[in-house]
Amino acid sequence: MTDEHSLAIPIPKKLLEQFAGCFFDRKNHFLAAVRQFGSPLYVLEPEVLKIRADQFQNAFDAVFPHTGYYYAMKSNNLPYVSRILLEKGFGLDVSSGVELQTALDLGAHDIVFSGPGKTDPELELAVVLGRRARAVS
């Protein structure tokens, strides 16, 4: 029998510092926000999101040029997040009529309408949108 921790692969310190170091460097900023607004607290830093989006795209483009990138709105349906990623060239992956309408309201032109359980009106809207939205399940 093995200890579950013996199977863990440690993250190299340099990689961990590259990914999370900036958060530790600004811990006082985050702790002040928690004191002011309470916890749990979700903090969105638009510039960090833009940098991470660029890093994500660059990592894949290096191996798979001409790749399309899609943000799944179900992971965080705050329209501001989607707007930032649209500006960075991402398409949107939506799974409900509400998300589809939000994507349209944001001006998205590359939408994947995924998942099961679509209503007839939602499917009809996807057909009307043509190449702007593709329905898949």
Side-chain angles (χ1 to χ4, degrees), residues 18-105:
Q18 287 174 335
F19 180 77
C22 63
F23 299 108
F24 290 110
D25 292 344
R26 296 186 329 241
K27 70 181 177 187
N28 291 332
H29 169 77
F30 297 130
L31 291 172
V34 168
R35 283 191 293 276
Q36 182 176 353
F37 299 107
S39 176
L41 175 68
Y42 298 94
V43 177
L44 173 62
E45 296 181 286
E47 291 308 312
V48 173
L49 180 57
K50 291 174 186 178
I51 290 167
R52 295 289 189 243
D54 287 338
Q55 290 172 331
F56 183 84
Q57 289 174 314
N58 291 338
F60 279 90
D61 284 345
V63 180
F64 302 108
H66 312 293
T67 299
Y69 303 95
Y70 295 85
Y71 174 68
M73 289 184 69
K74 66 183 131 295
S75 65
N76 182 334
N77 65 2
L78 182 67
Y80 187 54
V81 172
S82 297
R83 183 177 297 113
I84 290 169
L85 292 171
L86 284 170
E87 291 169 3
K88 297 305 293 179
F90 280 63
L92 296 178
D93 173 70
V94 303
S95 60
S96 71
V98 172
E99 289 178 357
L100 177 58
Q101 189 58 57
T102 300
L104 294 171
D105 292 346

